[in-house]
Amino acid sequence: MSKPCYRNVIDQLGLLDHLAEFDPVVIGTPPLGIATENSDIDIACSSPNLKAFAALATKRFGQFNSFEILDIKNLNEPAIVVKFNALDWEIELFCQNLPTAKQWGVRHFYIEQRLLALDTKLVDKVKLLKQNGMKTEPAFAQLLALQGDPYEAMLKLETYSDIELIHLISKR
């Protein structure tokens, strides 16, 4: 039996409604069309008060299987990650005291979205690398021969025009 569509899960659980005050943005592999069997549903959120976010998440989603809250300190900005399982999906809510549009995960998502729109052949190539255990950003970085830390290298592509991105893709 296959998983239900991620959009239906988001709607059925009312995730975006419950998280509306935190400027939620659905990111990750399902909306990019590069999900694998192990993919989860990722939603980036923003809050000036991470404890308030954690409290609301506990109230709204604490009854779900494998519910846990992680306090992440090793990123550019502290974060709260809320994980739980529902409707055959692992769901991960990521929250920082940064506007969602400035968070690395959202920024990576938008550049990956652009790259996949510019060359649909990247979909199968990225999926194959992901099925072999590679994370999304390192997969893109490998396919595009980006140097250095893959997460930082992907962010540098934000300033590229579509023509520059097409040129980068075509060199591979």
Side-chain angles (χ1 to χ4, degrees), residues 73-143:
K73 303 240 187 267
N74 64 339
L75 299 174
N76 57 333
E77 286 283 326
I80 294 282
V81 177
V82 176
K83 294 182 177 188
F84 59 93
N85 294 327
L87 304 173
D88 295 324
W89 281 90
E90 181 178 318
I91 298 166
E92 190 170 292
L93 312 176
F94 179 90
C95 188
Q96 285 184 309
N97 180 7
L98 274 179
T100 48
K102 292 188 186 276
Q103 294 177 19
W104 279 29
V106 175
R107 293 167 61 200
H108 287 146
F109 176 78
Y110 289 134
I111 190 63
E112 291 158 2
Q113 194 174 50
R114 283 180 64 205
L115 288 163
L116 293 169
L118 292 169
D119 186 350
T120 56
K121 289 182 252 151
L122 283 174
V123 169
D124 291 333
K125 293 175 182 179
V126 171
K127 262 181 136 171
L128 181 62
L129 290 173
K130 288 186 63 53
Q131 287 165 345
N132 289 322
M134 195 174 277
K135 293 277 194 192
T136 305
E137 287 79 0
F140 274 98
Q142 180 176 315
L143 290 170

Side-chain angles (χ1 to χ4, degrees), residues 2-119:
S2 65
K3 293 179 176 182
C5 173
Y6 79 95
R7 283 185 225 89
N8 295 342
V9 171
I10 290 170
D11 290 345
Q12 194 170 338
L13 297 175
L15 293 174
L16 298 181
D17 291 334
H18 288 309
L19 298 169
E21 69 185 276
F22 303 107
D23 193 23
V25 177
V26 179
I27 59 174
T29 58
L32 289 173
I34 56 172
T36 64
E37 194 55 38
N38 298 325
S39 291
D40 58 5
I41 295 172
D42 294 303
I43 302 177
C45 298
S46 174
S47 177
N49 185 338
L50 296 180
K51 287 184 179 161
F53 175 81
L56 179 125
T58 301
K59 180 180 174 186
R60 298 278 192 227
F61 312 115
Q63 76 277 15
F64 289 105
N65 290 334
S66 303
F67 180 87
E68 67 177 321
I69 297 178
L70 305 170
D71 200 2
I72 312 292
K73 303 240 187 267
N74 64 339
L75 299 174
N76 57 333
E77 286 283 326
I80 294 282
V81 177
V82 176
K83 294 182 177 188
F84 59 93
N85 294 327
L87 304 173
D88 295 324
W89 281 90
E90 181 178 318
I91 298 166
E92 190 170 292
L93 312 176
F94 179 90
C95 188
Q96 285 184 309
N97 180 7
L98 274 179
T100 48
K102 292 188 186 276
Q103 294 177 19
W104 279 29
V106 175
R107 293 167 61 200
H108 287 146
F109 176 78
Y110 289 134
I111 190 63
E112 291 158 2
Q113 194 174 50
R114 283 180 64 205
L115 288 163
L116 293 169
L118 292 169
D119 186 350

Side-chain angles (χ1 to χ4, degrees), residues 141-155:
Q142 180 176 315
L143 290 170
L144 300 172
L146 301 179
Q147 300 300 307
D149 177 88
Y151 297 89
E152 291 178 14
M154 288 294 291
L155 292 179

